Amino acid sequence: MIELLAALSAAAAVGVGRIALPLLLIGLLQGNNLWSRVPILSLIHPQVVVGILTSWSLFELFASKKLLGQRVLQIFHLLFSPIVGAIMGVAVAEATDAPGWLIILVSVVGGLLALVLQLVQVGWFFRLRGLPLWAVFAQDALCVALVLLAFDAPRQGGLIAMILLWLAIRSSGEWYSWYSKSQKSKVKSQK
């Protein structure tokens, strides 16, 4: 169960809004092994992975502060967050020496959690017409905290991931009621 909570924490870090930063932190926290236990990244030379992930992390950090950058990142994050969420789940499960069946389960759940959280973020982005700067800084801090908690305090990290999932479900209910009210007001205005 601890492996699952740790993987949820790591996958939630991806779903919160960053892709390269959690992968970079996972590699740096592994010590000398770097990305040897991370699927796909273990096939690439570690120096190349560090260069790519550092560049992309800096791009994410700076681009997310502007509206156009947020729009561009939304597209990439929607496409790649389920893949990276699954990779993060597998990396954390591999680091804790979980059994094979649990690694498969964790990869699927991690990818889905990252996708759901990313979809909620996209919904808020379009409803608010851009994320406020304080929310972007909160995403950055939460992303780093969730990765660190995945290794140091998996129960707390998993609990935060579950709270984020609960907030995502609540948000979808709020959007539905907001959308229903706007549709009803459009129908009334057309009559």
Side-chain angles (χ1 to χ4, degrees), residues 91-103:
V92 171
E94 290 270 337
T96 59
D97 296 323
W101 65 270
L102 186 61
I103 292 174

Side-chain angles (χ1 to χ4, degrees), residues 71-176:
R71 287 183 185 195
V72 170
L73 287 176
Q74 293 292 331
I75 296 168
F76 284 105
H77 290 168
L78 272 177
L79 294 175
F80 293 110
S81 65
I83 298 166
V84 176
I87 289 172
M88 292 288 289
V90 169
V92 171
E94 290 270 337
T96 59
D97 296 323
W101 65 270
L102 186 61
I103 292 174
I104 294 170
L105 177 69
V106 162
S107 68
V108 170
V109 170
L112 289 174
L113 177 65
L115 179 64
V116 166
L117 293 177
Q118 191 61 44
L119 285 171
V120 168
Q121 181 182 345
V122 169
W124 279 111
F125 173 80
F126 284 109
R127 184 168 179 193
L128 298 174
R129 297 195 173 115
L131 296 175
L133 196 56
W134 65 267
V136 173
F137 283 117
Q139 283 178 330
D140 296 339
L142 188 59
C143 176
V144 171
L146 284 168
V147 172
L148 294 176
L149 287 173
F151 285 100
D152 294 337
R155 288 182 181 161
Q156 289 81 1
L159 179 64
I160 292 171
M162 291 298 181
I163 290 170
L164 288 172
L165 181 61
W166 177 76
L167 288 172
I169 293 168
R170 294 277 305 184
S171 290
S172 64
E174 292 296 321
W175 292 335
Y176 180 74

